[in-house]
Amino acid sequence: MKKFLVISGHPDLKNSLANKTILDEISAQCPQAEIRKLDELYPDYNFDVKAEQAALEKADVILFQYPMHWYSMPGLLKLYVDKVMEHGWAYGSQGNALKGKIFLASITTGAPESAYTATGVMGHTVEEFSFGVANYAALCKMDCKKIFYIGGMMCVPGVTTDEQKNQLVDKAKKQAAEILECLKSL
């Protein structure tokens, strides 16, 4: 199996239901995967750039797992990209460290899937909002194979019932299964 690296960009993973469930499922079903939880590794947002680059260099397949924040990736993951994906290393005329690697993204949203359509409240699809992620992968000469997405994953403590939580967990596990099935096919 290919070397699988997951970059968790959730800024507060311990309080997440969907993203935490997806990562737990990947870890349980694919224990050889390296999962880097940025919020735990870098609570001060001061990245060890060389360590992160080394982890990326070892991987064959890179997955960014994150919740959509204001139609994009969370600030923690954006800063990771800004700091770690250096010109001359990840992109540019001399930047080939990620060339040929497979890139995947797994995105969760609080709003339901129906909100992310041309006629929905968001006015655009998740794929349209994810253009920057796919373009970033292309700039780094990676092969963006798929962007996974599940919506309606809002879990509000004290409001969301146990039955609703169970349904959200089931949806998150399904997303993890789809990611792992994709990984097997690569």
Side-chain angles (χ1 to χ4, degrees):
M1 182 177 273
K2 296 183 180 293
K3 293 178 188 162
F4 186 33
L5 173 67
V6 180
I7 304 296
S8 167
H10 196 297
D12 188 18
L13 191 58
K14 69 180 178 295
N15 288 313
S16 168
L17 180 65
N19 284 261
K20 184 177 180 322
T21 300
I22 291 168
L23 294 172
D24 288 349
E25 281 296 301
I26 289 172
S27 180
Q29 302 298 321
C30 187
Q32 68 275 24
E34 180 180 358
I35 299 176
R36 300 187 66 79
K37 298 174 182 175
L38 299 180
D39 68 321
E40 292 176 12
L41 289 168
Y42 307 107
D44 59 1
Y45 285 39
N46 288 317
F47 300 103
D48 181 339
V49 171
K50 295 303 178 199
E52 294 307 313
Q53 289 175 343
L56 290 162
E57 286 175 352
K58 288 188 298 186
D60 299 311
V61 180
I62 299 164
L63 170 75
F64 278 12
Q65 173 64 53
Y66 61 94
M68 186 173 283
H69 282 193
W70 287 105
Y71 314 110
S72 186
M73 62 179 67
L76 174 63
L77 187 55
K78 174 63 169 86
L79 186 61
Y80 172 91
V81 170
D82 290 347
K83 298 292 185 182
V84 175
M85 307 305 175
E86 295 176 315
H87 181 269
W89 179 80
Y91 69 97
S93 62
Q94 302 298 313
N96 291 312
L98 303 175
K99 183 178 182 178
K101 295 185 184 293
I102 295 168
F103 180 80
L104 306 168
S106 171
I107 303 167
T108 61
T109 66
E113 285 94 348
S114 61
Y116 289 94
T117 65
T119 58
V121 68
M122 303 303 174
H124 297 278
T125 66
V126 168
E127 292 80 7
E128 290 170 329
F129 284 122
S130 302
F131 172 79
V133 174
N135 198 51
Y136 140 78
L139 179 67
C140 295
K141 301 178 186 109
M142 291 190 285
D143 182 6
C144 184
K145 288 287 188 193
K146 185 159 177 69
I147 295 175
F148 299 88
Y149 156 66
I150 50 173
M153 300 306 289
M154 181 69 67
C155 181
V156 180
V159 175
T160 305
T161 66
D162 287 342
E163 182 179 337
Q164 290 169 324
K165 284 181 190 176
N166 290 337
Q167 292 171 350
L168 296 175
V169 166
D170 289 345
K171 283 177 69 174
K173 286 182 177 183
K174 182 179 177 200
Q175 173 120 333
E178 290 173 10
I179 293 164
L180 293 168
E181 192 59 38
C182 178
L183 182 63
K184 288 178 190 175
S185 72
L186 300 174

